[in-house]
Amino acid sequence: MNRHHDPITKRLADLLGWASLGLGATQLAAPRAVCRLAGLDDSALAQTIVPIVGLRELLHAALLLGVRNPIPGVWSRVAGDAMDLTVMGRALVSRDSGRRQRATAATAVLVAITAVDLYAATRTLRRREGGEHAMELHAAITINRPRREVYRYWHDFTNLPRFMAHLESVEVKGKTRSHWKVRGPVRWSIEWDAEIVEDLPDELIAWQSMSRADVPNAGAVHFADAPGERGTELRVNLAYDPPAGKVGAAFAKLLGEHPEQQVRDDLRRLKQVMEAGEVVRSEGSPEGAYAIRQVRQRPAQPLPVG
Amino acid sequence: MKANCWMGRNSVEVTEVPDPKILNSRDAIVRITSAAICGSDLHMYDGYIPTMKKGDILGHEFMGEVVEVGPEVTDLRPGDRVVVPFPIACGRCWACEHELYSVCENSNPNAGLAEKFMGHSPAGIFGYSHMLGGYAGGQAEYARVPFADFGPLKVDGDLSDEQVLFLSDILPTGYMAAEMCDISPGDVVAVWGAGPVGQFAVVSAYLLGAEQVICIDRFSYRLRRIHEHTGAEIVDYEEVDVMEALKEMTAGRGPDACIDAVGMEAHHPTGPIHAYDRAKQATRMETDRPHALREAIMACRNGGIVSSVGGYGGFVDKFPMGSFMNRSLTMRSAQCHVQRYMRPLLERIRRGDLDPTFVISHRMPLEEAPQGFELFKSKRDECNKVVLTP
Ligand SMILES: NC(=O)c1ccc[n+]([C@@H]2O[C@H](COP(=O)([O-])OP(=O)(O)OC[C@H]3O[C@@H](n4cnc5c(N)ncnc54)[C@H](O)[C@@H]3O)[C@@H](O)[C@H]2O)c1
Ligand SMILES: [Zn+2]
Ligand SMILES: [Zn+2]
């Protein structure tokens, strides 16, 4: 599940990433200078280890800067700190006085860095405070059809189950009201009433579940002309606030491990329906674009009859 | 029905599988009359294309007779004879409207998977891994053909299967490789790889007005075949230094355009360099061995064009970016936009400008596909191109 991290934690993770990048690059480029600073310049072993530690730092940097989720990067740094502290602790014992001074200073810096890393690491485990939606999903796609047509298609909510994989049905009950039914795991189904809260023709549709929904949720879809006659740019935001307990768990299961991928696949199916006429199927993915299928493919052979 | 299935590395088996059925309203079912084995199939056979699954039906070069059509297919009817282009394309997305059929935006149901490997997803392809759609291929008795109202080319009975079969892939691919070279009078074009794709690139370069075409490979029977058919110059890279030979032949300029018709499993005459890339490939530190591409870049004249149609799957190492950038080269590449070339090339075949049958060396029943793969891979028995008949 896409856990949400607050901006401070994200910023902190970024900073740590850049720090790792700088340190790693230095350790690789100038291992001798690093050894001298840390008071380890008398050890041949240290000179070979420092570039390796440099590589490890680059790995932290890659995780912190390259992966959206800060958890692996930050915790990998904590593990690295533990390693480095052990090494420095050993080194302190066997150094002559001049080197020991430098080694002590380096260790002090290391302790401070470890404290920052630990702080960032514990922050990543915090859950976001209540009051806001626990999960927000976003996806965008360009559809080679006129904006009006795409808007109209979406505006008829009974069309949504044609491309939204987890929806079983949407029943329109009035000008702004509708009833949504989601395909639950084994005999489970989650249903709610929703209401259109904003509707700007050819531009925006926003809806929201009504007060007594089991899983409060909201969504908005924006339509804009794509430049150069490329059709319509469509951007969707969805927010779910699953409660704790059974319903929440069932719902989480439904959205799967990669809810954002599911939304992207939903939009791909919409694009297929609007451009090519229907959801495109293959023998390996008979349901068409479908997040769960991406990892669990059937062999590319015709399906058995029946 | 019977179909040739990928069973793992270096293993294909002809087995009994369910008959295909219509899944989409724009589908057709085709009873296959001829199918070929392609150099691209070898990349899967050798285990270098990710996301293959045991049991996948291979084959993306095929033709046959329509036996059933979905409700939206109005211009084809049972009994029609069709050649099927290998990229699956909807005909209605932005890419298709711009004739970029092999990057059709709608034909890959597993686009999410492809995005992870490549950033964006290309089109789906028959029998070409799950990342490219998970479509059952055409080395079989029947195949389901999506977007049958758009892709397949109807052909009349006066032309034989062998004359038109290669419109499904390698003839347009060779042609596109030459077209991407922007050939103008006086141009010398060098082609790496004397496989069927390279051979069609040579033929096409001449058709498009090249002054001279030079083909490079190490299998003399293949070089001989293309030399006899077109008069192209040939270079055996195990006998001579390719860079030196090309400089000599072009009086120091280098070829105006260089075509890579080899791809990710290139061979290198120097043992250690070949071993280096093989080892990296085996450990997946690089997925592709790009010797021919590297050489094509180094050999090309300043300001020239490198046209790459050899198949690649992932990442290459030691890409000579310095040479490429400083010498003002241009590189063009694609899985062939087959639908763009089928009709004009059919016309050329009909007029007699082109006879694609010269590439065929082996004809076998579908049941012998495993032997066909072995022969084509090992280049034994002077194997050049295998055509299978179900
Ligand atoms: N872009 C496309 O749409 C498209 C379509 C079809 C095939 N392909 C690709 O084209 C390539 C060739 O296909 P094919 O059917 O002709 O395969 P093939 O295996 O029959 O031919 C490849 C040839 O390249 C030669 N070769 C290997 N290393 C070389 C080197 N260093 N220098 C010169 N020649 C070398 C081999 O000896 C062989 O003759 C494959 O990679 C295939 O995937 C691409
Ligand atoms: Zn091919
Ligand atoms: Zn398309």
Side-chain angles (χ1 to χ4, degrees):
Chain A
M1 177 131 333
N2 231 10
R3 204 201 292 260
H4 270 259
H5 298 284
D6 62 291
I8 299 176
T9 310
K10 281 190 181 153
R11 180 99 195 99
L12 205 56
D14 263 0
L15 281 175
L16 293 175
W18 287 107
S20 280
L21 188 63
L23 182 59
T26 318
Q27 285 171 325
L28 279 173
R32 276 160 181 283
V34 174
C35 283
R36 208 171 318 116
L37 259 174
L40 301 176
D41 46 335
D42 55 344
S43 155
L45 181 64
Q47 313 236 357
T48 46
I49 288 184
V50 165
I52 299 175
V53 175
L55 275 178
R56 189 199 72 203
E57 288 295 333
L58 293 187
L59 182 76
H60 298 321
L63 283 172
L64 284 161
L65 301 173
V67 179
R68 197 122 39 94
N69 180 357
I71 292 178
V74 173
W75 282 97
S76 78
R77 266 188 67 107
V78 172
D81 292 337
M83 257 165 75
D84 295 350
L85 279 172
T86 318
V87 172
M88 289 308 290
R90 289 242 190 129
L92 272 176
V93 184
S94 54
R95 288 292 98 101
D96 56 52
S97 70
R99 292 206 169 90
R100 181 176 306 175
Q101 235 173 17
R102 276 180 276 153
T104 312
T107 310
V109 173
L110 202 56
V111 169
I113 292 176
T114 308
V116 177
D117 284 340
L118 268 174
Y119 172 69
T122 46
R123 278 194 79 104
T124 60
L125 298 185
R126 275 193 213 163
R127 262 205 156 273
R128 228 172 158 179
E129 305 298 310
E132 286 170 83
H133 290 291
M135 195 186 339
E136 284 166 39
L137 305 172
H138 174 78
I141 203 161
T142 302
I143 298 178
N144 193 18
R145 304 298 310 161
R147 181 148 61 106
R148 156 159 306 189
E149 192 182 320
V150 183
Y151 165 86
R152 282 203 183 146
Y153 191 82
W154 194 298
H155 198 271
D156 179 356
F157 280 9
T158 59
N159 282 328
L160 302 187
R162 277 193 78 186
F163 62 90
M164 289 187 167
H166 67 278
L167 272 186
E168 189 166 303
S169 64
V170 179
E171 211 182 307
V172 173
K173 296 173 87 180
K175 234 177 142 30
T176 58
R177 294 234 344 234
S178 50
H179 183 75
W180 299 49
K181 198 165 170 183
V182 143
R183 204 168 311 188
V186 207
R187 274 186 286 129
W188 248 90
S189 71
I190 302 170
E191 303 180 31
W192 66 84
D193 283 327
E195 170 175 51
I196 293 184
V197 290
E198 208 178 344
D199 187 358
L200 303 174
D202 306 340
E203 263 178 52
L204 166 78
I205 309 169
W207 64 94
Q208 210 168 42
S209 60
M210 303 193 30
S211 52
R212 292 214 324 278
D214 288 335
V215 180
N217 66 81
V221 52
H222 297 254
F223 308 86
D225 285 333
E229 317 239 305
R230 284 168 170 78
T232 304
E233 291 181 351
L234 185 149
R235 293 185 171 77
V236 181
N237 289 301
L238 299 175
Y240 297 100
D241 200 359
K246 236 166 127 188
V247 177
F251 192 77
K253 198 159 171 199
L254 190 74
L255 287 185
E257 279 175 40
H258 308 285
E260 205 138 70
Q261 171 79 49
Q262 201 175 92
V263 183
R264 272 200 296 275
D265 281 341
D266 284 346
L267 293 193
R268 247 192 281 275
R269 295 155 75 99
L270 169 65
K271 179 180 166 79
Q272 289 169 353
V273 169
M274 300 236 56
E275 292 181 359
E278 62 187 321
V279 171
V280 177
R281 302 167 200 285
S282 73
E283 286 73 17
S285 279
E287 309 87 348
Y290 189 37
I292 296 169
R293 263 289 176 225
Q294 313 264 294
V295 281
R296 276 184 245 132
Q297 292 275 303
R298 315 180 53 259
Q301 275 187 7
L303 293 111
V305 227
Chain B
M1 67 164 182
K2 286 198 188 62
N4 185 38
C5 302
W6 185 88
M7 301 306 283
R9 221 170 151 162
N10 286 318
S11 163
V12 293
E13 264 172 42
V14 177
T15 54
E16 197 63 35
V17 301
D19 286 346
K21 51 178 191 238
I22 304 267
L23 294 181
N24 278 117
S25 51
R26 295 173 66 191
D27 289 350
I29 305 291
V30 171
R31 184 181 63 78
I32 294 161
T33 53
S34 297
I37 303 176
C38 176
S40 306
D41 291 329
L42 292 182
H43 303 323
M44 286 172 274
Y45 188 59
D46 294 337
Y48 289 121
I49 301 285
T51 71
M52 290 296 292
K53 214 175 152 70
K54 191 172 172 185
D56 288 350
I57 302 176
L58 291 177
H60 56 268
E61 302 182 1
F62 60 97
M63 62 178 295
E65 186 193 308
V66 174
V67 291
E68 192 186 343
V69 293
E72 298 276 318
V73 182
T74 49
D75 47 355
L76 280 186
R77 180 148 346 129
D80 283 347
R81 186 163 170 250
V82 290
V83 182
V84 179
F86 81 83
I88 300 170
C90 76
R92 300 184 189 162
C93 67
W94 182 89
C96 286
E97 280 183 357
H98 290 76
E99 296 194 309
L100 298 166
Y101 305 109
S102 72
V103 289
C104 169
E105 296 161 22
N106 289 318
S107 63
N108 185 358
N110 300 329
L113 206 57
E115 281 178 354
K116 293 207 177 70
F117 284 90
M118 304 195 219
H120 295 271
S121 173
I125 296 181
F126 293 100
Y128 210 117
S129 86
H130 290 261
M131 173 168 84
L132 297 184
Y135 288 98
Q139 288 163 9
E141 289 180 291
Y142 295 89
R144 176 183 74 101
V145 177
F147 305 123
D149 57 335
F150 176 73
L153 174 74
K154 255 198 268 191
V155 280
D156 302 331
D158 58 327
L159 294 166
S160 69
D161 271 23
E162 292 187 353
Q163 280 176 295
V164 292
L165 171 62
F166 303 131
L167 287 169
S168 60
D169 177 352
I170 54 172
L171 177 57
T173 298
Y175 187 86
M176 183 185 77
E179 194 189 64
M180 291 194 297
C181 294
D182 282 350
I183 295 169
S184 48
D187 276 3
V188 177
V189 177
V191 178
W192 275 255
V197 171
Q199 290 168 357
F200 280 138
V202 172
V203 169
S204 306
Y206 278 121
L207 272 180
L208 292 171
E211 178 78 24
Q212 187 189 20
V213 185
I214 305 163
C215 191
I216 303 149
D217 204 306
R218 74 183 156 124
F219 291 105
S220 50
Y221 73 91
R222 291 186 159 201
L223 290 170
R224 216 180 320 119
R225 191 181 280 253
I226 192 60
H227 174 73
E228 276 161 17
H229 190 75
T230 61
E233 304 280 335
I234 52 179
V235 171
D236 180 339
Y237 68 81
E238 283 189 324
E239 298 291 317
V240 298
D241 181 302
V242 174
M243 290 294 289
E244 286 309 312
L246 291 175
K247 276 190 181 155
E248 173 55 34
M249 292 161 111
T250 57
R253 303 188 303 278
D256 299 279
C258 292
I259 294 175
D260 165 8
V262 177
M264 64 191 283
E265 289 188 71
H267 161 267
H268 196 286
T270 322
I273 296 186
H274 189 66
Y276 165 84
D277 280 293
R278 269 213 80 137
K280 289 201 99 172
Q281 196 174 28
T283 54
R284 298 299 184 264
M285 287 167 76
E286 68 177 337
T287 54
D288 304 1
R289 300 194 301 265
H291 307 308
L293 182 61
R294 286 181 194 141
E295 201 167 62
I297 291 171
M298 299 299 279
C300 195
R301 77 140 156 82
N302 287 354
I305 294 178
V306 176
S307 160
S308 172
V309 290
Y312 291 88
F315 298 88
V316 302
D317 236 24
K318 308 250 175 327
F319 183 84
M321 193 61 206
S323 169
F324 182 74
M325 180 267 160
N326 287 287
R327 301 195 305 106
S328 193
L329 301 184
T330 298
M331 180 147 94
R332 293 191 178 145
S333 193
Q335 290 282 6
C336 185
H337 303 295
V338 176
Q339 287 87 335
R340 198 198 279 173
Y341 301 100
M342 287 180 111
R343 268 161 249 274
L345 287 174
L346 176 65
E347 272 322 295
R348 284 192 188 256
I349 294 171
R350 209 180 272 291
R351 283 204 305 267
D353 301 354
L354 257 179
D355 175 19
T357 58
F358 83 92
V359 300
I360 303 172
S361 62
H362 289 72
R363 300 164 173 89
M364 332 181 146
L366 174 66
E367 287 78 5
E368 287 171 26
Q371 290 93 300
F373 268 75
E374 233 358 83
L375 278 180
F376 188 51
K377 173 180 173 163
S378 63
K379 314 311 190 224
R380 274 204 310 272
D381 195 22
E382 308 216 329
C383 186
N384 194 67
K385 183 80 180 175
V386 181
V387 175
L388 303 168
T389 37

